[in-house]
Amino acid sequence: MATKIRLQRRGRKGYAFYSIVIADARAPRDGKFTEKIGTYNPNTNPATVDLNFDRALYWVEVGAQPTDTARNILQHEGVYLMKHLRQGVKKGAFDDAVAQQKFDEWKASKVKGDEAVRAQDAKKKKEDKEKELKAEKAVNEAIAKKVAEKKAAAAAAQAEAEAPAETTEEAPAEA
C-alpha cells in the first residue's frame, strides 16, 4: 500500500482549514485516512502549523510520500532536516547529541527569524496607521479651513446687508 502525507480540507467556504493526514494514495482528498498528524491554518499571518513532529518523522522515514504543500510544511517544521541528521547518525558521521544540537540551533535561528518578521510586520502596520492618521488630520484641517472661510464670508455678507439698512434708516432720522 502506497501511503501519502496530504492535506484534508476542513473549515467553511472562504476560510479553509486543513488537517495533515496519512492516507492511502488511492483515497480521495477528503476521504478515509490512516492517521491525523497535525493541522494547517493558512488564514493567519504567518500560517499556523500544529504538527506531531515524532509521528511526521516516523512516516517520512517509513517512506510516505508527501504532496507538494505537505512537503513544504514538513520542511518548514524541520522534519526533513531531522531525517537527514538521523541518516548521518546511522552512517556514523556524528552521534545523536551532535545531531540534536544542530537541529536545536536550526530551530532557534528559525524562531528568531520568524519573530523578526512578526516584529517588522507590526512596525509596518503601526507606521501605516500613523500615516493614515496624519492624512486624515490634514483632510480634517482643510475642511475646517473651508468651513471657517464660508462662515467668515457669510458673516461679512450679513454685516454688509445690515450696514446699508442702518445707514438708510439713520439718514432720514438725522434730517
Side-chain angles (χ1 to χ4, degrees), residues 74-139:
L74 295 175
Q75 285 175 344
H76 188 263
E77 293 298 311
V79 173
Y80 278 97
L81 176 63
M82 184 54 92
K83 177 186 174 193
H84 175 74
L85 292 172
R86 280 191 174 180
Q87 286 176 347
V89 170
K90 286 179 186 175
K91 291 180 180 180
F94 42 82
D95 59 353
D96 285 329
V98 173
Q100 188 62 42
Q101 178 186 3
K102 287 183 179 184
F103 181 77
D104 291 340
E105 289 173 359
W106 174 84
K107 192 71 167 177
S109 68
K110 181 184 160 294
V111 168
K112 187 176 181 181
D114 288 348
E115 288 175 359
V117 168
R118 285 188 188 104
Q120 187 177 11
D121 285 346
K123 182 179 176 184
K124 184 178 179 194
K125 283 182 182 179
K126 185 178 180 181
E127 289 174 355
D128 289 345
K129 202 169 203 174
E130 289 175 358
K131 285 181 184 178
E132 288 177 14
L133 184 62
K134 285 182 182 179
E136 187 175 343
K137 283 182 179 180
V139 168

Side-chain angles (χ1 to χ4, degrees), residues 4 10-11 13 15 32 42 48 56 59 77 108 113 117 121 130 134 147-148 168:
K4 283 222 172 256
R10 298 279 181 233
K13 182 178 178 181
Y15 192 86
K32 188 175 180 182
T48 306
W59 281 105
E77 293 298 311
V117 168
D121 285 346
E130 289 175 358
K134 285 182 182 179
V147 168
T168 54

